[in-house]
Structures are given as C-alpha cells and as structure tokens.
Amino acid sequence: MKTDVITKSLFFIMGASSVASGQSQLQFGGGGHIMLPVGDYGGSTNDFYLGSKYGAGVGLGFHFKSRFEFAGIPWMASMEYSIFKNKGNGESSQGEIELDRRIFSLRLGPEWFLDVADSFTPYVSAGLILNNMGGDAGFKKISTVPDTAFIQQAGERLGLGISGGVLIPLYPEANFDISLNYNLLNPFNKVWVADSRERRVDSYGAINDSQDPLFSPADTRHFIQRPRSIQTLQFTITVIFQI
C-alpha cells in the first residue's frame, strides 16, 4: 500500500514537471530557515506529557540547496537540519519537561518558474522528503515518570512538501532565494516502537506516531490513543550561485 502511494506521487511529480520551464544551469548555495511546528508536532510540554502532541517549539536550522536539469526537467534538491527546543510544565505546575527535537531532511522535486518580471522570478515546487527525526527529553518532579533525561530513538519517515518562492538577482551569477514550504513529514508510514511495556516513560522513547496498540483510557502507561501527524511550515532564505 505504501509503495503504491509513493509510486503514484513520483509519477504525478514527474508528469507535471514535463510542462515546466526553468533554469538549466547548475546552481548551489546555502542559507538558514525558521520552522514552525504544525499539526501534532507543536503544542505545549504538557501536551507532550499527555501524548496528544509532540511539544516542539519554534525551530531554527540551516540547509544546502542545488538546482539542476535532468532529462529536460528542472529539479531542486536540498539537505536540511533543524532543531526545535521547548521547556515547561508537565502533569502539574510542579512538573518540569525539557525537549530538544531534531530533523535531518533530504528533499527532491521539480520546479516551475514564472517569467513575470526582470527584477524577480517566482517559482513553485513539489517533492518528496526523506526525514530522520529524533531528539532528547528530560523529566523532573513528575509522579508517573522518573526524574530522567534520555536520547529519543531516531526514525525515518517519507514525506511530501510543497513550496513557493522568489529569486531576486544579486548579480549575474547569484540570487537571493526566499521561499515558504509546507511539509507533511509522516503521511505514509506511522510506526509504534517501545522497548518495554512496563513504564510510562517507554512511550516517550521514540517517535511513536502510530496509536499505542495497548492503549486503554484507564492505563497511565499506554496513553497515546491515536496516530499523530508531523507537519512544519518553513521560511527559508538562501544565497544560491550558478556554477
């Protein structure tokens, strides 16, 4: 089922890009970005404690980006690293939770450029994103979780992204590239992983974006009752050079 969805997505992207027109020269650059957690990825630290959301704060990161043409189609590829931090209460005003979340992403997709002005060039893009997601979590003064800090188990998820942006010339061989990206990071392959079934803290040790198969409303150890969607809204600024 997952293979069929991914295959259809690739055929749609490649088929749509056959009508695109764009820049044929090889380009490469880098920059920074701000990431806003959307859907279940945001929320408070107490939401993380309750298992309803991930509690990620606003994220910052850096990226490298390239443009090239292959088989007559203009493509964009990027490598991105983002860090999200949040700190607050859990269970009660006395409980303390500290979260660090990290996402490493590889993105690939076609681009469509619009020739509307000499001073700037708008574009849109859609593509696949391979994500490695992990992080750290720390708990203090919470009755159902021991005082502890640990590295959460990283996991891979295949996602989709859509982007809109504008290229602003700096000089003949370089551009400012400003874009806004909406990323669905786990639409296909939600997974549940837990090393043990004896403690509540084990449910926090991995991404666990699927429902806990042992969920029970009265069981404080098995409290994640539904699949969770990881999404981000990303604002990027890149300086990109023609090579």
Side-chain angles (χ1 to χ4, degrees), residues 56-77:
V58 175
L60 299 175
F62 64 90
H63 59 270
F64 299 100
K65 186 174 185 177
S66 65
R67 288 191 170 92
F68 58 95
E69 186 171 302
F70 179 73
I73 300 171
W75 294 87
M76 178 279 298

Side-chain angles (χ1 to χ4, degrees), residues 6-7 9 13-14 32 37 40-41 44 53 71-72 74 90-91 108 113 123 133 138 144 147 156-157 166 173 190 215:
I6 296 168
T7 302
S9 300
I13 292 168
M14 295 181 68
D40 296 326
Y41 202 54
S44 66
K53 296 187 177 183
E91 186 186 37
L108 176 66
F113 295 89
Y123 68 88
M133 296 183 282
T144 57
D147 287 2
E156 285 71 40
R157 300 292 188 272
V166 61
E173 296 184 352
K190 296 178 175 63
F215 168 75

Side-chain angles (χ1 to χ4, degrees), residues 33-231:
H33 58 259
I34 298 173
M35 296 274 269
L36 300 179
V38 183
D40 296 326
Y41 202 54
S44 66
T45 52
N46 193 58
D47 292 327
F48 171 74
Y49 170 75
L50 296 173
S52 58
K53 296 187 177 183
Y54 287 91
V58 175
L60 299 175
F62 64 90
H63 59 270
F64 299 100
K65 186 174 185 177
S66 65
R67 288 191 170 92
F68 58 95
E69 186 171 302
F70 179 73
I73 300 171
W75 294 87
M76 178 279 298
S78 69
M79 180 173 64
E80 306 166 4
Y81 184 74
S82 308
I83 299 176
F84 307 77
K85 293 180 177 290
N86 202 0
K87 186 175 182 179
N89 299 124
E91 186 186 37
S92 68
S93 60
Q94 301 299 318
E96 299 176 10
I97 297 176
E98 188 168 355
L99 301 173
D100 286 359
R101 298 203 169 276
R102 297 181 288 272
I103 302 177
F104 175 77
S105 302
L106 299 175
R107 184 189 304 260
L108 176 66
E111 289 187 311
W112 297 264
F113 295 89
L114 305 174
D115 296 327
V116 297
D118 294 333
S119 57
F120 64 92
T121 302
Y123 68 88
V124 293
S125 177
L128 297 177
I129 315 171
L130 179 61
N131 305 285
N132 180 280
M133 296 183 282
D136 305 330
F139 298 89
K140 291 181 180 179
K141 302 177 183 178
I142 295 177
S143 63
T144 57
V145 180
D147 287 2
T148 184
F150 56 89
I151 299 175
Q152 294 180 296
Q153 181 179 339
E156 285 71 40
R157 300 292 188 272
L158 183 65
L160 299 171
I162 55 175
S163 305
V166 61
L167 298 177
I168 301 173
L170 287 176
Y171 54 89
E173 296 184 352
N175 291 294
F176 264 131
D177 183 346
I178 302 173
S179 68
L180 185 65
N181 312 314
Y182 182 69
N183 308 311
L184 294 90
L185 302 186
N186 68 334
F188 303 122
N189 52 337
K190 296 178 175 63
V191 177
W192 176 267
V193 177
D195 294 333
S196 169
R197 299 291 176 143
E198 302 302 323
R199 305 175 304 165
R200 181 185 182 95
V201 71
D202 296 315
S203 296
Y204 300 115
I207 298 172
N208 286 343
D209 46 355
S210 182
Q211 177 185 358
D212 186 342
L214 299 180
F215 168 75
S216 172
D219 191 340
T220 60
R221 297 170 302 170
H222 306 289
F223 55 94
I224 297 178
Q225 61 180 301
R226 62 176 180 84
R228 294 178 290 178
S229 177
I230 301 174
Q231 305 168 37

